[in-house]
Amino acid sequence: MKTKMKKNHFWAFSVCLLFLGIGNAIAQTTESTKENRATKEVQRHTIMEKFAPDISLTATERQQKRLDRIAEIELRKSVIDTLDISERRRQKLLIDLKYNPFSERLNRTMADIKFEDDMNE
């Protein structure tokens, strides 16, 4: 009877260690935040710059384009969040914004918003 109890304690202890280890491993992953994305550096040199330096952008220009794109994404996300649409459609638009920013659905929605804004002015 004692050996069976010891085996049960051993397995319970092993399972607890497993869950604590998984939790610890997950907790150590880095989270992508706005600050991390904004401060992430671009490559100093690109392969295109090696062969055609006159038509490639400098690192500062690429960094500025990247920051502009992040600002545009944040603006579109705030616009999508304020729209009076179903939650399902909102989620689809947010997924399009993240993975396919030039999708037809997203472009159509943004065009409707710009048209309404122009009519109000």
Side-chain angles (χ1 to χ4, degrees), residues 63-89:
Q63 179 72 21
Q64 186 59 42
K65 280 190 164 206
R66 186 174 178 282
L67 292 175
D68 292 343
R69 177 74 183 133
I70 290 172
E72 182 181 344
I73 288 172
E74 293 299 321
L75 175 69
R76 285 184 170 202
K77 189 183 289 187
S78 66
V79 167
I80 290 171
D81 286 339
T82 58
L83 289 176
D84 186 26
I85 56 177
S86 68
E87 191 61 32
R88 186 175 184 176
R89 184 164 181 216

mmCIF file of all heavy atoms in Angstrom, residues 63-89:
data_model
loop_
_atom_site.group_PDB
_atom_site.id
_atom_site.type_symbol
_atom_site.label_atom_id
_atom_site.label_comp_id
_atom_site.label_asym_id
_atom_site.label_seq_id
_atom_site.Cartn_x
_atom_site.Cartn_y
_atom_site.Cartn_z
ATOM 1 N N GLN A 63 13.312 53.311 -41.896
ATOM 2 C CA GLN A 63 12.774 53.397 -40.536
ATOM 3 C C GLN A 63 11.565 54.334 -40.510
ATOM 4 O O GLN A 63 10.559 54.035 -39.869
ATOM 5 C CB GLN A 63 13.854 53.893 -39.569
ATOM 6 C CG GLN A 63 13.397 54.050 -38.143
ATOM 7 C CD GLN A 63 13.179 52.730 -37.450
ATOM 8 O OE1 GLN A 63 13.707 51.711 -37.874
ATOM 9 N NE2 GLN A 63 12.399 52.738 -36.403
ATOM 10 N N GLN A 64 11.637 55.455 -41.221
ATOM 11 C CA GLN A 64 10.520 56.394 -41.258
ATOM 12 C C GLN A 64 9.313 55.776 -41.948
ATOM 13 O O GLN A 64 8.180 55.926 -41.476
ATOM 14 C CB GLN A 64 10.937 57.693 -41.976
ATOM 15 C CG GLN A 64 9.885 58.765 -41.934
ATOM 16 C CD GLN A 64 9.518 59.152 -40.511
ATOM 17 O OE1 GLN A 64 10.377 59.288 -39.655
ATOM 18 N NE2 GLN A 64 8.239 59.297 -40.248
ATOM 19 N N LYS A 65 9.528 55.060 -43.045
ATOM 20 C CA LYS A 65 8.410 54.382 -43.721
ATOM 21 C C LYS A 65 7.769 53.357 -42.798
ATOM 22 O O LYS A 65 6.548 53.211 -42.769
ATOM 23 C CB LYS A 65 8.896 53.696 -45.002
ATOM 24 C CG LYS A 65 9.058 54.610 -46.162
ATOM 25 C CD LYS A 65 9.301 53.803 -47.406
ATOM 26 C CE LYS A 65 9.056 54.696 -48.595
ATOM 27 N NZ LYS A 65 8.672 53.983 -49.762
ATOM 28 N N ARG A 66 8.577 52.655 -42.053
ATOM 29 C CA ARG A 66 8.073 51.648 -41.125
ATOM 30 C C ARG A 66 7.224 52.299 -40.034
ATOM 31 O O ARG A 66 6.136 51.824 -39.700
ATOM 32 C CB ARG A 66 9.264 50.908 -40.513
ATOM 33 C CG ARG A 66 8.912 49.774 -39.653
ATOM 34 C CD ARG A 66 10.195 49.042 -39.237
ATOM 35 N NE ARG A 66 9.849 47.978 -38.362
ATOM 36 C CZ ARG A 66 9.561 48.132 -37.089
ATOM 37 N NH1 ARG A 66 9.598 49.315 -36.557
ATOM 38 N NH2 ARG A 66 9.228 47.104 -36.346
ATOM 39 N N LEU A 67 7.702 53.415 -39.479
ATOM 40 C CA LEU A 67 6.938 54.124 -38.443
ATOM 41 C C LEU A 67 5.639 54.688 -39.007
ATOM 42 O O LEU A 67 4.605 54.668 -38.324
ATOM 43 C CB LEU A 67 7.794 55.231 -37.823
ATOM 44 C CG LEU A 67 8.986 54.757 -36.991
ATOM 45 C CD1 LEU A 67 9.822 55.949 -36.547
ATOM 46 C CD2 LEU A 67 8.537 53.939 -35.804
ATOM 47 N N ASP A 68 5.682 55.187 -40.240
ATOM 48 C CA ASP A 68 4.464 55.685 -40.880
ATOM 49 C C ASP A 68 3.445 54.563 -41.065
ATOM 50 O O ASP A 68 2.249 54.749 -40.840
ATOM 51 C CB ASP A 68 4.783 56.315 -42.239
ATOM 52 C CG ASP A 68 5.576 57.603 -42.116
ATOM 53 O OD1 ASP A 68 5.613 58.179 -41.001
ATOM 54 O OD2 ASP A 68 6.175 58.024 -43.127
ATOM 55 N N ARG A 69 3.932 53.393 -41.465
ATOM 56 C CA ARG A 69 3.036 52.243 -41.661
ATOM 57 C C ARG A 69 2.411 51.806 -40.337
ATOM 58 O O ARG A 69 1.220 51.511 -40.277
ATOM 59 C CB ARG A 69 3.830 51.089 -42.295
ATOM 60 C CG ARG A 69 3.035 49.850 -42.484
ATOM 61 C CD ARG A 69 2.058 50.019 -43.637
ATOM 62 N NE ARG A 69 1.264 48.834 -43.753
ATOM 63 C CZ ARG A 69 -0.053 48.819 -43.889
ATOM 64 N NH1 ARG A 69 -0.712 49.953 -43.983
ATOM 65 N NH2 ARG A 69 -0.708 47.703 -43.972
ATOM 66 N N ILE A 70 3.194 51.794 -39.262
ATOM 67 C CA ILE A 70 2.662 51.430 -37.943
ATOM 68 C C ILE A 70 1.605 52.438 -37.504
ATOM 69 O O ILE A 70 0.551 52.069 -36.976
ATOM 70 C CB ILE A 70 3.800 51.320 -36.909
ATOM 71 C CG1 ILE A 70 4.660 50.090 -37.207
ATOM 72 C CG2 ILE A 70 3.255 51.240 -35.486
ATOM 73 C CD1 ILE A 70 5.917 49.992 -36.375
ATOM 74 N N ALA A 71 1.858 53.724 -37.753
ATOM 75 C CA ALA A 71 0.881 54.757 -37.393
ATOM 76 C C ALA A 71 -0.400 54.598 -38.195
ATOM 77 O O ALA A 71 -1.507 54.764 -37.662
ATOM 78 C CB ALA A 71 1.484 56.140 -37.617
ATOM 79 N N GLU A 72 -0.273 54.264 -39.478
ATOM 80 C CA GLU A 72 -1.454 54.058 -40.319
ATOM 81 C C GLU A 72 -2.260 52.850 -39.835
ATOM 82 O O GLU A 72 -3.493 52.890 -39.792
ATOM 83 C CB GLU A 72 -1.023 53.852 -41.766
ATOM 84 C CG GLU A 72 -2.182 53.687 -42.709
ATOM 85 C CD GLU A 72 -1.728 53.458 -44.144
ATOM 86 O OE1 GLU A 72 -0.557 53.725 -44.459
ATOM 87 O OE2 GLU A 72 -2.570 53.016 -44.938
ATOM 88 N N ILE A 73 -1.577 51.790 -39.445
ATOM 89 C CA ILE A 73 -2.268 50.600 -38.935
ATOM 90 C C ILE A 73 -3.015 50.930 -37.655
ATOM 91 O O ILE A 73 -4.168 50.525 -37.469
ATOM 92 C CB ILE A 73 -1.266 49.445 -38.717
ATOM 93 C CG1 ILE A 73 -0.816 48.887 -40.061
ATOM 94 C CG2 ILE A 73 -1.874 48.342 -37.859
ATOM 95 C CD1 ILE A 73 0.301 47.875 -39.965
ATOM 96 N N GLU A 74 -2.394 51.673 -36.767
ATOM 97 C CA GLU A 74 -3.056 52.060 -35.512
ATOM 98 C C GLU A 74 -4.276 52.945 -35.779
ATOM 99 O O GLU A 74 -5.307 52.800 -35.137
ATOM 100 C CB GLU A 74 -2.070 52.779 -34.587
ATOM 101 C CG GLU A 74 -0.965 51.895 -34.061
ATOM 102 C CD GLU A 74 -1.479 50.743 -33.236
ATOM 103 O OE1 GLU A 74 -2.436 50.928 -32.461
ATOM 104 O OE2 GLU A 74 -0.927 49.640 -33.375
ATOM 105 N N LEU A 75 -4.164 53.853 -36.755
ATOM 106 C CA LEU A 75 -5.291 54.707 -37.108
ATOM 107 C C LEU A 75 -6.442 53.878 -37.663
ATOM 108 O O LEU A 75 -7.596 54.033 -37.249
ATOM 109 C CB LEU A 75 -4.858 55.765 -38.133
ATOM 110 C CG LEU A 75 -5.975 56.656 -38.666
ATOM 111 C CD1 LEU A 75 -6.469 57.578 -37.566
ATOM 112 C CD2 LEU A 75 -5.498 57.441 -39.863
ATOM 113 N N ARG A 76 -6.127 52.962 -38.588
ATOM 114 C CA ARG A 76 -7.174 52.109 -39.159
ATOM 115 C C ARG A 76 -7.809 51.225 -38.092
ATOM 116 O O ARG A 76 -9.007 50.981 -38.108
ATOM 117 C CB ARG A 76 -6.607 51.244 -40.280
ATOM 118 C CG ARG A 76 -6.368 52.008 -41.540
ATOM 119 C CD ARG A 76 -5.903 51.099 -42.634
ATOM 120 N NE ARG A 76 -5.907 51.806 -43.910
ATOM 121 C CZ ARG A 76 -5.967 51.196 -45.072
ATOM 122 N NH1 ARG A 76 -5.992 49.891 -45.138
ATOM 123 N NH2 ARG A 76 -5.968 51.899 -46.176
ATOM 124 N N LYS A 77 -6.992 50.732 -37.152
ATOM 125 C CA LYS A 77 -7.522 49.890 -36.088
ATOM 126 C C LYS A 77 -8.487 50.684 -35.205
ATOM 127 O O LYS A 77 -9.547 50.190 -34.830
ATOM 128 C CB LYS A 77 -6.378 49.346 -35.231
ATOM 129 C CG LYS A 77 -6.814 48.281 -34.240
ATOM 130 C CD LYS A 77 -5.675 47.810 -33.366
ATOM 131 C CE LYS A 77 -4.704 46.995 -34.154
ATOM 132 N NZ LYS A 77 -3.661 46.382 -33.297
ATOM 133 N N SER A 78 -8.147 51.932 -34.910
ATOM 134 C CA SER A 78 -9.051 52.748 -34.097
ATOM 135 C C SER A 78 -10.343 53.065 -34.854
ATOM 136 O O SER A 78 -11.416 53.117 -34.266
ATOM 137 C CB SER A 78 -8.357 54.034 -33.662
ATOM 138 O OG SER A 78 -8.086 54.852 -34.772
ATOM 139 N N VAL A 79 -10.238 53.248 -36.174
ATOM 140 C CA VAL A 79 -11.434 53.497 -36.985
ATOM 141 C C VAL A 79 -12.328 52.261 -36.997
ATOM 142 O O VAL A 79 -13.547 52.350 -36.825
ATOM 143 C CB VAL A 79 -11.036 53.914 -38.424
ATOM 144 C CG1 VAL A 79 -12.232 53.870 -39.351
ATOM 145 C CG2 VAL A 79 -10.430 55.299 -38.415
ATOM 146 N N ILE A 80 -11.717 51.091 -37.184
ATOM 147 C CA ILE A 80 -12.493 49.846 -37.206
ATOM 148 C C ILE A 80 -13.171 49.617 -35.860
ATOM 149 O O ILE A 80 -14.318 49.168 -35.803
ATOM 150 C CB ILE A 80 -11.587 48.659 -37.596
ATOM 151 C CG1 ILE A 80 -11.192 48.773 -39.067
ATOM 152 C CG2 ILE A 80 -12.279 47.330 -37.333
ATOM 153 C CD1 ILE A 80 -10.140 47.787 -39.496
ATOM 154 N N ASP A 81 -12.493 49.947 -34.774
ATOM 155 C CA ASP A 81 -13.069 49.748 -33.443
ATOM 156 C C ASP A 81 -14.267 50.660 -33.187
ATOM 157 O O ASP A 81 -15.144 50.331 -32.394
ATOM 158 C CB ASP A 81 -12.017 49.959 -32.357
ATOM 159 C CG ASP A 81 -11.043 48.803 -32.281
ATOM 160 O OD1 ASP A 81 -11.395 47.707 -32.760
ATOM 161 O OD2 ASP A 81 -9.936 48.994 -31.751
ATOM 162 N N THR A 82 -14.312 51.803 -33.844
ATOM 163 C CA THR A 82 -15.421 52.734 -33.609
ATOM 164 C C THR A 82 -16.597 52.536 -34.557
ATOM 165 O O THR A 82 -17.633 53.169 -34.383
ATOM 166 C CB THR A 82 -14.938 54.197 -33.728
ATOM 167 O OG1 THR A 82 -14.388 54.390 -35.023
ATOM 168 C CG2 THR A 82 -13.903 54.514 -32.672
ATOM 169 N N LEU A 83 -16.438 51.675 -35.563
ATOM 170 C CA LEU A 83 -17.524 51.452 -36.517
ATOM 171 C C LEU A 83 -18.690 50.711 -35.865
ATOM 172 O O LEU A 83 -18.505 49.910 -34.961
ATOM 173 C CB LEU A 83 -17.031 50.633 -37.711
ATOM 174 C CG LEU A 83 -16.084 51.334 -38.673
ATOM 175 C CD1 LEU A 83 -15.616 50.353 -39.726
ATOM 176 C CD2 LEU A 83 -16.753 52.518 -39.324
ATOM 177 N N ASP A 84 -19.878 50.994 -36.360
ATOM 178 C CA ASP A 84 -21.079 50.315 -35.877
ATOM 179 C C ASP A 84 -21.355 49.118 -36.781
ATOM 180 O O ASP A 84 -22.232 49.160 -37.647
ATOM 181 C CB ASP A 84 -22.267 51.291 -35.873
ATOM 182 C CG ASP A 84 -23.489 50.674 -35.244
ATOM 183 O OD1 ASP A 84 -23.337 49.764 -34.407
ATOM 184 O OD2 ASP A 84 -24.611 51.100 -35.593
ATOM 185 N N ILE A 85 -20.561 48.045 -36.576
ATOM 186 C CA ILE A 85 -20.682 46.829 -37.370
ATOM 187 C C ILE A 85 -20.717 45.629 -36.438
ATOM 188 O O ILE A 85 -20.444 45.757 -35.242
ATOM 189 C CB ILE A 85 -19.510 46.687 -38.376
ATOM 190 C CG1 ILE A 85 -18.172 46.740 -37.648
ATOM 191 C CG2 ILE A 85 -19.602 47.723 -39.459
ATOM 192 C CD1 ILE A 85 -16.977 46.537 -38.536
ATOM 193 N N SER A 86 -21.050 44.478 -36.993
ATOM 194 C CA SER A 86 -21.108 43.272 -36.163
ATOM 195 C C SER A 86 -19.706 42.885 -35.706
ATOM 196 O O SER A 86 -18.705 43.233 -36.340
ATOM 197 C CB SER A 86 -21.742 42.126 -36.940
ATOM 198 O OG SER A 86 -20.890 41.735 -37.991
ATOM 199 N N GLU A 87 -19.658 42.149 -34.604
ATOM 200 C CA GLU A 87 -18.365 41.728 -34.046
ATOM 201 C C GLU A 87 -17.639 40.790 -35.004
ATOM 202 O O GLU A 87 -16.420 40.851 -35.122
ATOM 203 C CB GLU A 87 -18.585 41.043 -32.689
ATOM 204 C CG GLU A 87 -17.327 40.807 -31.914
ATOM 205 C CD GLU A 87 -16.581 42.078 -31.567
ATOM 206 O OE1 GLU A 87 -17.224 43.129 -31.356
ATOM 207 O OE2 GLU A 87 -15.339 42.024 -31.519
ATOM 208 N N ARG A 88 -18.387 39.972 -35.696
ATOM 209 C CA ARG A 88 -17.783 39.037 -36.656
ATOM 210 C C ARG A 88 -17.091 39.790 -37.785
ATOM 211 O O ARG A 88 -15.967 39.466 -38.170
ATOM 212 C CB ARG A 88 -18.863 38.117 -37.191
ATOM 213 C CG ARG A 88 -18.356 37.031 -38.068
ATOM 214 C CD ARG A 88 -19.490 36.121 -38.443
ATOM 215 N NE ARG A 88 -19.017 35.003 -39.219
ATOM 216 C CZ ARG A 88 -19.752 34.018 -39.624
ATOM 217 N NH1 ARG A 88 -21.039 34.009 -39.329
ATOM 218 N NH2 ARG A 88 -19.257 33.045 -40.331
ATOM 219 N N ARG A 89 -17.763 40.792 -38.317
ATOM 220 C CA ARG A 89 -17.164 41.576 -39.401
ATOM 221 C C ARG A 89 -15.965 42.380 -38.891
ATOM 222 O O ARG A 89 -14.953 42.518 -39.583
ATOM 223 C CB ARG A 89 -18.206 42.507 -39.996
ATOM 224 C CG ARG A 89 -17.673 43.277 -41.173
ATOM 225 C CD ARG A 89 -18.757 43.902 -41.994
ATOM 226 N NE ARG A 89 -18.173 44.599 -43.127
ATOM 227 C CZ ARG A 89 -18.641 45.723 -43.623
ATOM 228 N NH1 ARG A 89 -19.727 46.244 -43.124
ATOM 229 N NH2 ARG A 89 -18.049 46.295 -44.640
#
